[in-house]
Amino acid sequence: MQVTIRYFAGARAAAGRAEEHTAGGRTLDEVLDELTARHGDQLARVLRAASFLVDGVTCHDRRTPLPAGATIDVLPPFAGG
């Protein structure tokens, strides 16, 4: 089963895409390690500061296995007023 990763704002720019897929059956930390290896330092910096939603819910434990078919939203810090 695959996991969908959706990038927003600065994460989208750093990854060079809005969305991608990866193999499921892993933890969020494991997926983030793969994304860092795939996309390099620029995305790694964004991921260190980002928040993550898994199927629309804030992820507090990045070592819990992701549910099958999960969608991960990568939300970098937003500036605004």
Side-chain angles (χ1 to χ4, degrees), residues 9-81:
R12 179 181 296 177
R17 64 193 68 210
E19 180 177 303
E20 66 183 306
H21 303 279
T22 190
R26 300 179 293 160
T27 67
L28 179 58
D29 275 342
E30 291 169 330
V31 170
L32 297 178
D33 287 345
E34 176 192 336
L35 297 176
T36 296
R38 185 182 299 171
H39 297 291
D41 290 338
Q42 187 175 358
L43 182 61
R45 283 190 297 275
V46 173
L47 294 176
R48 282 193 293 272
S51 298
F52 305 94
L53 302 180
V54 176
D55 292 334
V57 178
T58 302
C59 181
H60 295 288
D61 184 357
R62 294 171 21 163
R63 294 173 295 188
T64 298
L66 296 165
T71 297
I72 302 166
D73 293 330
V74 180
L75 307 171
F78 292 94

